[in-house]
C-alpha cells in the first residue's frame, strides 16, 4: 500500500546503542518488575548495519496481559497500537499464530521514534528477534547483504511499504535458516 511516510534507510549511526540505553532506562523506571528484560533488537542493534532511524526494542514479560500492562505504559505516555497484535509467522514454523502474539506500543510523540515490542518470555517470536540480531552481529557478510536488500527496496519505491515487507520478510526467513544452523552449532541461547 502506498503511504505518505517514506521508507528511508540510513547508514549505521554509532549513537544508536546509547539512544537505546536511554529509552530502556526510562522504560525500566516506568515498568518496574513487569519488564523481565529489555533488549535492543532490529537493525539499529547490529553494528555497521544500515537501518531506518528507528530504535526497536523488545520487552520480555511473564505474560502478555494487556489489562495489566496498558496502565503501566499509559503512565509513561506510551500508546498501544491494537492493530498490531502478533508477528508474522515464518513459513515453516509449526507454531500457531497465538504463540506469536505480542503487544506493540509507541512512545510519546515528543520522544525519539521507537517501536516497543512486548513479547512473552519463552515465546518463539521473542527468540526470533534475539537470534536474528545475534546472528547478524556475528556474521557481518550476512548483515551487509541484508543492508543491500533494504537499501535497494527503499530506492525502488520509497513509499511502497507492502513491497518493502513482501521482499524483506522472506529475506529475513532465509537469514534465519542460517541463524538456526548457527544456533545449533554454537549452543546459542
Amino acid at each position: 500500500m502506498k503511504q505518505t511516510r517514506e521508507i528511508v534507510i540510513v547508514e549505521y549511526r554509532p549513537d544508536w546503542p546509547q539512544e537505546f540505553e536511554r529509552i530502556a532506562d526510562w522504560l525500566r523506571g516506568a515498568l518496574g518488575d513487569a519488564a523481565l528484560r529489555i533488549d535492543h533488537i532490529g537493525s539499529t542493534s547490529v553494528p555497521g548495519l544500515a537501518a531506518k532511524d528507528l530504535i526497536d526494542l523488545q520487552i520480555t514479560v511473564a505474560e502478555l496481559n494487556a489489562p495489566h500492562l496498558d496502565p503501566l505504559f499509559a503512565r509513561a505516555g506510551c500508546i498501544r497500537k491494537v492493530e498490531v497484535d502478533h508477528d508474522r509467522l515464518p513459513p515453516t514454523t509449526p507454531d500457531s499464530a497465538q504463540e506469536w502474539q505480542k503487544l506493540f506500543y509507541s512512545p510519546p510523540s515528543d520522544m525519539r521514534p521507537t517501536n516497543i515490542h512486548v513479547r512473552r518470555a519463552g515465546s518463539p517470536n521473542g527468540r526470533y528477534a534475539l537470534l536474528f540480531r545475534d546472528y547478524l552481529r556475528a556474521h557481518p557478510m550476512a548483515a551487509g547483504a541484508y543492508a543491500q536488500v533494504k537499501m535497494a527496496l527503499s530506492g525502488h519505491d520509497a513509499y511502497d511499504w507492502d513491497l518493502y515487507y513482501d521482499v524483506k520478510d522472506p529475506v529475513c526467513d532465509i537469514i534465519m535458516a542460517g541463524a538456526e544452523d548457527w544456533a545449533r552449532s554454537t549452543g546459542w541461547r
Side-chain angles (χ1 to χ4, degrees):
M1 170 186 355
K2 299 271 183 172
Q3 294 187 15
T4 57
R5 189 170 52 95
E6 186 177 14
I7 303 165
V8 178
I9 306 296
V10 299
E11 292 300 321
Y12 179 77
R13 295 190 178 154
D15 58 338
W16 284 335
Q18 292 78 27
E19 290 177 353
F20 159 75
E21 286 299 334
R22 282 193 293 276
I23 298 163
D25 287 344
W26 167 71
L27 284 167
R28 279 185 199 96
L31 300 174
D33 293 342
L36 301 178
R37 60 186 285 172
I38 300 176
D39 292 286
H40 191 185
I41 61 168
S43 295
T44 61
S45 71
V46 179
L49 181 57
K52 295 185 295 292
D53 188 20
L54 175 78
I55 301 294
D56 280 286
L57 59 84
Q58 174 172 280
I59 299 175
T60 302
V61 295
E63 292 299 327
L64 281 182
N65 182 337
H68 171 71
L69 294 170
D70 282 350
L72 297 175
F73 280 99
R75 278 198 305 264
C78 296
I79 298 169
R80 181 161 57 103
K81 295 187 175 185
V82 295
E83 67 275 11
V84 181
D85 63 358
H86 66 282
D87 289 303
R88 181 188 69 83
L89 274 68
T92 60
T93 185
D95 304 322
S96 70
Q98 185 174 0
E99 293 176 87
W100 287 72
Q101 287 182 320
K102 72 175 179 181
L103 302 175
F104 186 80
Y105 296 88
S106 293
S109 60
D110 61 346
M111 280 190 67
R112 192 211 192 293
T114 303
N115 287 330
I116 303 168
H117 307 263
V118 181
R119 297 179 175 114
R120 181 184 49 76
S123 66
N125 53 344
R127 179 184 179 279
Y128 186 107
L130 297 174
L131 176 55
F132 190 83
R133 175 201 67 193
D134 290 353
Y135 180 75
L136 289 180
R137 284 177 174 175
H139 295 86
M141 190 169 155
Y146 180 50
Q148 287 180 337
V149 167
K150 294 191 308 172
M151 297 285 265
L153 285 170
S154 70
H156 177 72
D157 184 339
Y159 294 93
D160 191 340
W161 287 88
D162 286 340
L163 172 67
Y164 181 79
Y165 286 110
D166 285 350
V167 175
K168 185 179 95 63
D169 287 347
V171 168
C172 291
D173 294 334
I174 293 167
I175 291 169
M176 279 301 288
E180 290 293 354
D181 288 344
W182 175 74
R184 279 189 293 278
S185 70
T186 63
W188 178 92
R189 292 181 153 288

